Amino acid sequence: MADMGAFREAVVAWDAGGPGEPARELAARLPVRAVVLLEGPSDAAAVDALAERRGRDLEDEGICVLPMGGAMSVGRFARLLGPSPGLGLRLTGLCDVRERRFYARALTGSAVAGAAQPQRFFVCAADLEDELIRALGVARVEELVRAEGDLRALQRFLRQPAQQGRTPQQQLRRFLGTKKGRKIRYGRVLVEALEPDRVPAPLDDLLAGLLTHPSTLTPAQRPRRGAAGAATAGPGAGA
């Protein structure tokens, strides 16, 4: 049976120069109604974790969470998945502030000029890891690092000369990216540790923007308006 993973693989293969028909067929068969364009797998882990916490099955809702392998790829994926000659799917995304220009050009420019509705994206103050560390607080993140068995690795990292003079928040953010797979693992760990009213606003609003019929959701599935951080939406109105 076809699933969203197969659709993701087909889209990535299409972007790499393969045929587009497999992705087109899967989009119609599943069906796929929206795609969340993300820089990498750690962002996808966080989005999936928050959806699960709120009792939502994004795949069942027809939503594909797609790590692109770099924010600069967003223009190519928008052309493949957006309005004709693309698949005509609704697009949204989450990006770091330094990557905002790529998303703005891809999701609100000529690449999606034929969209039935404006495409909206959400911007983290620095990046998603920074948003999550600020929401949880340094002490809580250190507790999680200890619980994950990474305390010694963190202590060694903090003794490096390059880390002297950086704030504890900056040090933790850099630590998460020092080993392959660590950012992905902590993308889920940090989200699962959040208090319901401390979800960073860009992440919270991204998930809220994917609702089809908000009135049908339970209170646990709805976004938290007291969210930490500040969401910065793309120029498009409506997600």
Side-chain angles (χ1 to χ4, degrees):
M1 179 180 294
D3 60 15
M4 201 65 76
F7 174 72
R8 274 191 292 270
E9 291 176 3
V11 170
V12 171
W14 186 13
D15 176 64
E21 197 56 34
R24 194 176 297 276
E25 290 178 359
L26 285 166
R29 191 189 315 166
L30 288 170
V32 181
R33 70 174 182 86
V35 179
V36 183
L37 297 173
L38 300 172
E39 181 177 357
S42 62
D43 301 320
V47 170
D48 287 339
L50 183 60
E52 289 170 15
R53 280 192 60 175
R54 293 187 174 166
R56 296 181 61 183
D57 185 332
L58 296 183
E59 293 192 6
D60 190 57
E61 294 177 30
I63 298 168
C64 176
V65 177
L66 179 63
M68 301 177 294
M72 288 185 289
S73 301
V74 66
R76 298 198 313 272
F77 281 97
R79 285 189 291 273
L80 295 178
L81 302 172
S84 181
L87 300 186
L89 302 174
R90 177 183 169 201
L91 304 178
T92 186
L94 182 75
C95 67
D96 305 346
V97 67
R98 65 182 178 273
E99 315 294 0
R100 176 175 184 161
R101 66 189 185 279
F102 301 118
Y103 273 70
R105 188 181 307 127
L107 297 186
T108 64
S110 58
V112 291
Q117 57 181 313
Q119 313 293 311
R120 195 178 185 192
F121 63 98
F122 302 89
V123 183
C124 297
D127 57 24
L128 184 54
E129 289 76 26
D130 177 71
E131 294 274 3
L132 292 170
I133 292 167
R134 285 192 292 113
L136 287 162
V138 168
R140 178 62 177 135
V141 174
E142 289 176 343
E143 290 176 1
L144 294 169
V145 169
R146 181 182 296 106
E148 289 294 307
D150 289 328
L151 183 59
R152 280 192 175 184
L154 175 60
Q155 291 170 337
R156 287 195 300 269
F157 175 77
L158 295 178
R159 288 196 292 268
Q160 296 178 3
Q163 302 311 315
Q164 309 312 306
R166 289 185 173 138
T167 67
Q169 181 175 321
Q170 290 171 331
Q171 292 169 338
L172 284 169
R173 179 179 164 221
R174 287 180 176 270
F175 171 72
L176 296 182
T178 56
K179 182 179 179 182
K180 184 177 181 180
R182 183 176 283 157
K183 282 179 69 173
I184 300 172
R185 177 159 55 94
Y186 277 93
R188 175 169 289 276
V189 167
L190 298 183
V191 167
E192 289 177 344
L194 288 167
E195 294 296 329
D197 62 349
R198 296 294 297 168
V199 177
L203 182 60
D204 195 46
D205 290 344
L206 170 70
L207 205 62
L210 292 168
L211 303 181
T212 307
H213 301 293
S215 62
T216 67
L217 297 182
T218 67
Q221 293 173 319
R222 293 173 185 149
R224 307 292 176 172
R225 291 299 86 203
T232 306

